[in-house]
């Protein structure tokens, strides 16, 4: 295998500013590392980034289904992430009977992190268990924890649990989980306050579809509670699950089959997408996604959104980014590489690259974060925007952004003229070169 060698005329800093530079790397060493004023050397278009992309909401890599906790080898997952040149936040569906096993896993994860291991795994996340509408998610990963069980989950905040997806309308009368709710189950207010106090972000998603106005009010309440309780000085206290999926909508957001795609342009036109604004967004897209978009534009939450072109159409994605900006959006893949997720068999239908479960619901994606970077570039966003969406913003939300410059060994990505990315871990040039 040949050693990495490059000359970079530009550097993209983690604050998303591009600088002219004179950087040379050869024989595993920095030969030159000189950062100049803001700008980019456009004759080549190549640049260096002191970071890696992040698989922020990812259900599996390689042979590993992250929800198969009994067989999950985080050391091996970390090696796969290193080889791919990415950071990863494994997202797990947690069956009720495996709560104790999850607590044990989180303690082992924290111990390994404290010993300097698993450097490419930023933290862990849960999708559920409190979901009002589970659609393509595994049914056994949806249940209503008691106050004692929520306290157990909350204790994982200090162990590396970054967020848990929950539905603010999970306890209302038409919720899938309503029949499970007893006097032993806490209120949404208590759950949100407890999670945030323990350093865990509520990630809002999987909403009911029968009363969007009421659901949007519950979203606003959760955001207020989280902001009032907030202990995060470096990030937003609330994020979301994937925008537009599993929520009530006023428009069509994706065209996944060849038959549907025949009507794509006409239906995009009918959605009046060019006229969307923060003033009319609730009317245009629906009360629930509109409320989330407005909160993200205000800087109160960070939205996760699929950029694979199949969960959500890229024209819709582009408009949302234009409305919010790239500082409060995370590009997510929803990726898994295996055909089983939390015991649920998956298959593809030949019309797209999504994974479907047995009832025909979309269960996950299959594209990598590098493919998403290509997609974002294809709809006209610049390199700073691309890295905000795929790296800098998710790193911020995982409380990792400030750690990059202080480390002795740091990650880099070199993007050449063809926009092919090469990654490396090497000595921090700001510490080794004067």
């Amino acid at each position: 295998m040949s050693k990495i060698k490059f000359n970079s005329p530009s550097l993209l800093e983690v604050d998303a500013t591009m600088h002219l530079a004179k950087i040379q790397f050869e024989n595993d060493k920095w030969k030159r590392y000189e950062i100049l004023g803001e700008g980019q050397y456009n004759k080549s278009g190549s640049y260096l980034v002191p970071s890696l992309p992040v698989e922020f909401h990812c259900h599996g890599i390689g042979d590993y289904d992250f929800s198969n906790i009994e067989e999950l080898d985080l050391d091996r997952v970390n090696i796969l992430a290193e080889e791919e040149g990415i950071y990863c936040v494994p997202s797990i569906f947690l069956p009720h009977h495996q709560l104790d096993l999850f607590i044990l896993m989180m303690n082992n994860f924290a111990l390994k992190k404290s010993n300097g291991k698993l450097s490419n795994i930023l933290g862990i996340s849960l999708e559920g268990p409190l979901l009002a509408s589970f659609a393509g998610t595994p049914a056994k990963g949806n249940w209503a924890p008691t106050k004692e069980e929520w306290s157990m989950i909350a204790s994982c905040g200090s162990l590396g649990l970054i967020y848990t997806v929950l539905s603010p309308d999970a306890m209302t009368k038409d919720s899938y989980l309503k029949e499970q709710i007893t006097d032993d189950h806490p209120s949404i207010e208590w759950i949100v306050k407890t999670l945030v106090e323990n350093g865990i972000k509520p990630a809002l998603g999987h909403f009911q579809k029968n009363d969007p106005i009421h659901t949007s009010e519950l979203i606003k309440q959760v955001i207020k509670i989280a902001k009032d309780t907030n202990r995060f000085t470096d990030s937003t206290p609330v994020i979301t699950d994937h925008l537009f999926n599993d929520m009530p909508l006023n428009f069509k957001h994706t065209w996944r089959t060849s038959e549907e795609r025949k009507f794509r342009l006409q239906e995009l036109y009918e959605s009046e997408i060019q006229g969307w604004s923060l003033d009319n967004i609730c009317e245009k897209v629906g009360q629930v996604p509109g409320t989330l978009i407005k909160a993200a534009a205000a800087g109160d939450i960070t939205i996760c959104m699929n950029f694979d072109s199949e969960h959500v159409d890229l024209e819709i994605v582009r408009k949302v980014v234009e409305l919010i900006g790239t500082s409060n959006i995370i590009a997510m893949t929803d990726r898994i590489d295996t055909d089983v997720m939390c015991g649920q068999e998956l298959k593809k239908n030949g019309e797209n690259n999504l994974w479907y479960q047995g009832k025909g619901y979309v269960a996950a994606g299959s594209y990598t974060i590098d493919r998403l970077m290509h997609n974002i570039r294809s709809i006209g966003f610049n390199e700073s925007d691309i890295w905000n969406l795929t790296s800098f913003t998710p790193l911020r939300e995982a409380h990792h952004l400030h750690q990059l410059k202080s480390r002795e060994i740091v990650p880099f990505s070199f993007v050449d003229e063809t926009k092919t990315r090469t990654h490396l871990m090497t000595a921090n040039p700001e510490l080794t070169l004067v």
Side-chain angles (χ1 to χ4, degrees):
M1 181 178 178
S2 61
K3 293 184 180 297
I4 296 172
K5 174 183 177 180
F6 58 82
N7 287 283
S8 180
S10 303
L11 177 80
L12 179 60
E13 292 277 22
V14 295
D15 64 0
T17 59
M18 188 75 78
H19 290 261
L20 295 169
K22 296 179 180 179
I23 300 172
Q24 183 180 4
F25 187 84
E26 187 176 350
N27 295 326
D28 292 328
K29 292 183 179 180
W30 298 103
K31 300 295 185 181
R32 190 176 188 181
Y33 195 84
E34 184 179 352
I35 312 305
L36 308 174
E38 288 190 25
Q40 183 174 10
Y41 186 73
N42 291 320
K43 286 186 178 180
S44 75
S46 61
Y47 61 92
L48 186 69
V49 191
S51 188
L52 301 173
V54 183
E55 287 271 8
F56 191 76
H57 183 119
C58 180
H59 290 294
I61 293 178
D63 294 331
Y64 292 97
D65 163 19
F66 296 149
S67 298
N68 185 358
I69 301 176
E70 293 177 343
E71 298 182 16
L72 184 57
D73 184 342
L74 289 177
D75 292 289
R76 181 59 187 160
V77 169
N78 190 75
I79 291 172
L80 293 174
E82 285 180 341
E83 292 174 349
E84 199 169 316
I86 60 171
Y87 288 120
C88 181
V89 179
S91 187
I92 294 171
F93 294 105
L94 178 64
H96 191 181
H97 71 277
Q98 290 192 324
L99 178 57
D100 289 338
L101 182 61
F102 176 72
I103 302 298
L104 178 62
M105 186 205 84
M106 290 303 305
N107 276 281
N108 289 335
F109 174 75
L111 179 61
K112 289 183 177 182
K113 291 290 282 187
S114 68
N115 289 330
K117 299 179 180 179
L118 307 182
S119 59
N120 284 61
I121 302 177
L122 301 180
I124 306 296
S125 65
L126 287 173
E127 185 159 2
L130 193 70
L131 306 180
S133 172
F134 64 92
T137 63
K140 63 183 179 181
N142 297 271
W143 48 281
T146 62
K147 184 174 286 191
E148 180 182 358
E149 289 165 339
W150 272 119
S151 295
M152 294 172 66
I153 293 171
S155 71
C156 295
S158 61
L159 305 176
L161 182 61
I162 296 174
Y163 69 87
T164 181
V165 178
L166 62 83
S167 307
D169 53 358
M171 297 184 184
T172 55
K173 62 183 180 65
D174 292 314
S175 169
Y176 163 77
L177 294 174
K178 177 61 178 175
E179 62 184 28
Q180 296 185 27
I181 306 300
T182 69
D183 291 341
D184 293 328
H185 291 82
S187 65
I188 286 290
E189 291 81 4
W190 185 92
I191 295 169
V192 171
K193 192 171 187 296
T194 300
L195 289 173
V196 176
E197 284 177 341
N198 284 273
I200 302 169
K201 299 171 187 286
L204 306 181
H206 292 274
F207 306 98
Q208 294 182 52
K209 298 180 181 178
N210 64 302
D211 193 350
I213 293 177
H214 182 53
T215 296
S216 69
E217 290 303 315
L218 293 173
I219 290 170
K220 293 173 186 175
Q221 289 178 25
V222 167
I223 294 172
K224 184 180 186 307
I225 294 165
K227 286 176 66 178
D228 291 345
T229 313
N230 190 18
R231 53 167 286 185
F232 308 120
T233 59
D234 61 344
S235 60
T236 61
V238 175
I239 62 174
T240 75
D241 198 17
H242 40 203
L243 186 70
F244 296 128
N245 295 283
D246 297 316
M247 63 182 65
L249 303 175
N250 285 355
F251 76 112
K252 188 170 179 60
H253 70 297
T254 184
W255 293 264
R256 292 172 179 158
T257 67
S258 56
E259 184 63 26
E260 287 181 338
R261 285 190 281 271
K262 293 177 183 178
F263 307 100
R264 174 180 175 270
L265 291 178
Q266 178 62 30
E267 290 174 339
L268 268 174
Y269 175 79
E270 291 171 354
S271 74
E272 300 178 331
I273 188 170
Q274 297 306 319
W276 291 4
S277 69
L278 293 177
D279 291 332
N280 66 18
I281 195 65
C282 289
E283 172 192 345
K284 296 298 184 183
V285 303
Q287 196 69 34
V288 169
T291 297
L292 296 172
I293 289 169
K294 292 177 76 169
D300 293 333
I301 69 172
T302 297
I303 278 177
C304 292
M305 185 165 58
N306 293 101
F307 285 71
D308 59 8
S309 79
E310 295 174 344
H311 277 90
V312 184
D313 189 87
L314 287 178
E315 282 301 311
I316 293 165
V317 162
R318 171 163 48 190
K319 188 61 179 182
V320 172
V321 176
E322 289 174 356
L323 291 173
I324 296 174
T326 58
S327 294
N328 286 89
I329 299 178
I330 293 172
M332 58 176 277
T333 62
D334 212 14
R335 167 188 172 187
I336 191 167
D337 298 340
T338 65
D339 60 1
V340 177
M341 183 172 69
C342 195
Q344 178 175 264
E345 292 186 2
L346 307 177
K347 62 181 180 180
K348 296 182 179 180
N349 65 10
E351 292 270 17
N352 54 56
N353 287 284
L354 298 169
W355 289 108
Y356 290 79
Q357 45 90 290
K359 294 183 178 180
Y361 292 111
V362 173
S366 63
Y367 284 146
T368 66
I369 195 68
D370 280 288
R371 174 57 186 263
L372 264 62
M373 298 176 88
H374 168 78
N375 286 354
I376 300 166
R377 193 174 287 120
S378 74
I379 54 176
F381 290 102
N382 63 36
E383 301 303 299
S384 295
D385 290 334
I386 291 167
W387 281 88
N388 255 344
L389 293 164
T390 61
S391 182
F392 307 150
T393 298
L395 284 171
R396 182 195 73 200
E397 293 303 307
H399 317 295
H400 194 76
L401 192 59
H402 66 281
Q403 299 180 25
L404 289 177
K405 284 195 171 184
S406 62
R407 290 165 49 181
E408 292 184 5
I409 304 296
V410 293
F412 282 89
S413 294
F414 176 65
V415 181
D416 68 16
E417 296 180 28
T418 68
K419 298 301 180 278
T420 300
R421 185 177 69 90
T422 302
H423 60 88
L424 64 152
M425 294 286 292
T426 188
N428 189 335
E430 296 187 4
L431 299 179
T432 58
L433 296 179
V434 178

